[in-house]
Amino acid sequence: MRFTEFNFHSNLLEGIEASNYENATPVQEQVIPPIMAGKDVIASAQTGTGKTAAFLLPVMNGLLTNHVDGKVGALIIVPTRELAIQISQHMEGLSYFSHLSSIAIYGGTDAQSFVAEKKALQMGADIIVCTPGRMIAHLNMGYVNMKGLQYLVLDEADRMLDMGFQDDINKILQA
Ligand code: AMP
């Protein structure tokens, strides 16, 4: 299936073309339409099969077509800082023509990063990619505003459970 068949926003299609993607991979073909239809999806696919774009593209498309300023539009929870950085970079390429704001929030960074993260969680950012521990640190400070959240993604959910993040994830889901 070609990406032009998904009815994506034109700015997103430009980003897809610039990333040199032509055809959707099997996992993308299966999960993009139900996510675009507003359904909850559980998908299992190995690394290298295009699973990141399988959730990023419909989420980005939804936020482009139903843009709300000053809110966190999508929260993507991931097990490691490496994955958070990788997803952010992936998104930068795809959103080159879209002007969607995003930030990766993970532990081990300096005070300046913490301030930027706090601002995004308070004032909004289209897409936030976070590790559970760092998100909990922000939640405990009481300023996180998730009232406009449209999408929630648990990436590598099995690995997060293996790493003992269940309680943290439940706290984030409650928030
Ligand atoms: P992932 O499985 O999400 O780690 O993606 C593996 C690699 O495939 C990444 O470098 C993506 O940029 C690339 N990729 C994802 N979807 C496509 C696609 N439809 N066509 C070509 N490359 C893709």
Side-chain angles (χ1 to χ4, degrees), residues 54-90:
F55 64 74
L56 276 183
L57 290 172
V59 165
M60 291 167 69
N61 188 68
L63 296 176
L64 276 170
T65 48
N66 184 23
H67 191 267
V68 184
D69 264 338
K71 305 273 186 202
V72 176
L75 185 67
I76 301 170
I77 310 174
V78 302
T80 64
R81 60 145 68 191
E82 288 75 19
L83 195 55
I85 295 167
Q86 200 182 309
I87 291 175
S88 283
Q89 288 169 346
H90 202 134

Side-chain angles (χ1 to χ4, degrees), residues 24 30 36 55 60 70 106 116 127 129 134 138 143 160 171:
Q30 286 177 74
M36 285 176 80
F55 64 74
M60 291 167 69
Y106 49 84
I127 301 179
V129 188
R134 182 67 155 210
H138 283 289
Y143 47 66
M160 288 200 279
K171 273 185 211 148

Side-chain angles (χ1 to χ4, degrees), residues 66-142:
N66 184 23
H67 191 267
V68 184
D69 264 338
K71 305 273 186 202
V72 176
L75 185 67
I76 301 170
I77 310 174
V78 302
T80 64
R81 60 145 68 191
E82 288 75 19
L83 195 55
I85 295 167
Q86 200 182 309
I87 291 175
S88 283
Q89 288 169 346
H90 202 134
M91 197 161 49
E92 268 172 38
L94 291 170
S95 67
Y96 192 75
F97 300 95
S98 310
H99 312 296
L100 287 172
S101 59
S102 67
I103 185 168
I105 293 183
Y106 49 84
T109 53
D110 56 16
Q112 214 179 336
S113 301
F114 201 89
V115 172
E117 294 166 9
K118 178 180 174 185
K119 190 171 164 219
L121 289 164
Q122 265 180 320
M123 316 293 285
D126 292 309
I127 301 179
I128 289 185
V129 188
C130 69
T131 53
R134 182 67 155 210
M135 189 64 191
I136 292 290
H138 283 289
L139 274 178
N140 287 342
M141 312 275 264

Side-chain angles (χ1 to χ4, degrees), residues 3 20-25 28 46-53 86 90:
F3 280 108
N20 289 321
Y21 298 180
E22 277 180 25
N23 294 303
T25 65
Q28 291 166 354
Q46 290 186 339
T47 301
T49 54
K51 75 172 173 68
T52 312
Q86 200 182 309
H90 202 134

Side-chain angles (χ1 to χ4, degrees), residues 150-169:
Q150 297 183 55
Y151 296 96
L152 176 74
V153 179
L154 303 178
D155 193 18
E156 301 201 358
D158 50 349
R159 197 164 150 209
M160 288 200 279
L161 294 180
D162 287 345
M163 290 167 76
F165 282 134
Q166 183 160 1
D167 287 349
D168 285 353
I169 290 170

